[in-house]
Amino acid sequence: MLQGIETIFDNKDEMLKHLKKKTFEKNTKEFLAQYGHFFSEMAEYTAQAADKTLAAEEIGKCIVGAVEQKFSNKRGKIDGRTQIDLNFFMIYYVFTSILCSGEDGQIIAEGVRNVWSKSFKDGDIQYTDYDSLYNSFREKIFGLF
C-alpha cells in the first residue's frame, strides 16, 4: 500500500519557502496533480475497509514509516528543524489533500494525525481544510510586503 509515498516530500523545502496565498494555491495544485493518486488510493482503501478507523491508522503508519526512512539520521532520529518543516508540510499539503480526497477524508486525516502525534517528538499537530488555510493567508502584513 502507498508504494513510493515518500516522494510526496521531495519538494518540501521549496514548497514551504516564501509561502503566501498565491504560492500556496499554485503549490497545492501542482502537488495534487503530481501526487493525487496517493490520496485516491487512501480514499479507496478506507472506503473498502470494514474498520475505517483501523484503515486510517494503517495509512498513517505507512506515511510515518516513509518519513522515518527518508529523513532519519544515522541514529534513527529526525532533527528538530526537519521535524518542524515536516509538521508544516503535513498541515499545509498532506492533510488538506487528504480532506478533499473523498467522504472518508476526515477519518483518514484523524488516523494519520494520531499516528503522527504518537510517532514523533513535537509531532502533536492539528489539521484543517484547504479553504480555511487559504483564507487565513494575507497578501500583506501591515502593508510591509
Side-chain angles (χ1 to χ4, degrees):
M1 177 174 55
L2 300 176
Q3 295 298 314
I5 188 76
E6 67 279 357
T7 60
I8 67 172
F9 298 97
D10 285 350
N11 296 322
K12 169 184 64 68
D13 295 334
E14 189 63 34
M15 291 174 71
L16 292 173
K17 192 185 320 179
H18 307 296
L19 198 56
K20 294 184 179 183
K21 195 170 202 165
K22 286 182 183 179
T23 55
F24 177 62
E25 181 179 23
K26 176 182 162 282
N27 290 348
T28 300
K29 286 179 182 178
E30 290 174 3
F31 182 76
L32 284 171
Q34 188 167 3
Y35 303 112
H37 63 281
F38 288 119
F39 302 102
S40 296
E41 185 180 343
M42 291 177 199
E44 290 171 21
Y45 181 74
T46 306
Q48 296 172 2
D51 185 340
K52 293 179 186 296
T53 302
L54 183 60
E57 288 178 4
E58 289 172 9
I59 291 167
K61 289 175 185 174
C62 286
I63 294 172
V64 165
V67 165
E68 289 173 334
Q69 185 175 22
K70 186 172 181 82
F71 294 101
S72 292
N73 60 24
K74 293 177 185 174
R75 292 178 282 149
K77 304 283 184 190
I78 296 175
D79 71 79
R81 180 65 204 164
T82 301
Q83 185 62 57
I84 290 169
D85 288 347
L86 287 166
N87 290 345
F88 279 119
F89 191 82
M90 290 292 291
I91 292 166
Y92 284 116
Y93 298 107
V94 178
F95 284 121
T96 57
S97 299
I98 288 171
L99 289 170
C100 71
S101 67
E103 65 182 55
D104 293 325
Q106 186 75 35
I107 295 168
I108 299 167
E110 190 60 27
V112 171
R113 189 200 72 79
N114 288 340
V115 173
W116 187 270
S117 295
K118 292 175 188 173
S119 301
F120 299 115
K121 179 184 178 195
D122 301 323
D124 190 19
I125 58 177
Q126 299 299 319
Y127 58 88
T128 191
D129 60 273
Y130 173 83
D131 291 331
S132 297
L133 270 177
Y134 181 78
N135 292 327
S136 71
F137 280 97
R138 304 285 183 254
E139 287 301 320
K140 296 182 180 183
I141 299 174
F142 304 123
L144 298 174
F145 300 147

